[in-house]
Amino acid sequence: MAAQSSLFSGRPLRLIVAAILLVNGLFPALWILFTSLKTDAELTQTPITWLPHTPTLANYQIAFTDQPLHLFLFNSFMVAFLSTLLTIFVSVLAAYAIARLDLRFRGLILSSIIAVSTFPLVTLLVPLFETMRALSLLNSWTALVLPYSVLSLPVCTLILVSFFEGIPRDLENAAMIDGCTRMGALLRIVVPLSAPGVFTAAILAFVNAWDEFLLALSFNSSPALRTLPVGIQLYQGEFSFPWPVISAALVVGIVPVAILIVLFQERVVSGLTTGGVKG
């Protein structure tokens, strides 16, 4: 009994959980990568081969020639980038107001933010579509930038609130005594000291916008404005599913996000852990 209890507690349990999470996260990505390097014949042969016997990059060439993959990537990047900028701008101001101002209904505001973030996207589709149509914004980047920013605001605001609350007010007061306005103290003192939280919020907003499919499919019907998730579905035919080519397009779409996370890994981890401890 003692041996069993020691196995399922402490370090062994943590290692088992970490291994399960690692396999669960890496296996789909590796399977997509291996599939993108296979031919159609090798993919459908039995028994299944895990590694490609004759790796080929032809699927990547087909992915760029059969569909305007470069255009899908550009649209996705611009929409994600612009929505991230707007999200960070608004969430910084909102989080600062919640963290610093003596709001009478502060608890209610935070509870409302959490409640709004739990709404399923499908329930918001029709109201958002009608709003975009009334504003004549359909078939434009704006039709996606605005909803993506709104959808990312609750999480980003909560992350930044926890960071701003951990910064002593004396630093801002000293800056304002030296001539800074409140906005100047926010931009020169609070935001730089909360850099891990800002980076974490920005990456979460970017990834959410980069991966979103439902709104991108519903709000933009113009071929020139298709984002990557919508464009990838065009590779399948009426009776055919070229999985190697689709996998190649998926790998191309994963690479920018993977590079972004690798470059800012330390700041993201610091932001998540510090924000969690402070919250």
Side-chain angles (χ1 to χ4, degrees), residues 235-255:
Y235 287 99
Q236 69 183 47
E238 185 177 359
F239 303 105
S240 63
F241 291 87
W243 291 118
V245 177
I246 294 175
S247 298
L250 288 172
V251 171
V252 173
I254 292 172
V255 167

Side-chain angles (χ1 to χ4, degrees), residues 32-69:
I32 292 173
L33 175 62
F34 295 153
T35 301
S36 70
L37 300 174
K38 294 180 180 180
T39 61
D40 288 326
E42 184 178 356
L43 184 65
T44 56
Q45 74 180 20
T46 54
I48 296 175
T49 58
W50 297 99
L51 298 176
H53 292 316
T54 55
T56 176
L57 296 177
N59 296 316
Y60 290 88
Q61 181 180 358
I62 297 173
F64 278 95
T65 55
D66 275 11
Q67 298 291 339
L69 185 58

Side-chain angles (χ1 to χ4, degrees), residues 217-265:
L217 177 65
S218 304
F219 293 176
N220 284 342
S221 58
S222 172
L225 295 172
R226 289 192 178 107
T227 57
L228 185 64
V230 177
I232 287 178
Q233 71 166 348
L234 300 177
Y235 287 99
Q236 69 183 47
E238 185 177 359
F239 303 105
S240 63
F241 291 87
W243 291 118
V245 177
I246 294 175
S247 298
L250 288 172
V251 171
V252 173
I254 292 172
V255 167
V257 177
I259 293 175
L260 187 67
I261 293 176
V262 169
L263 289 177
F264 299 104
Q265 178 183 7

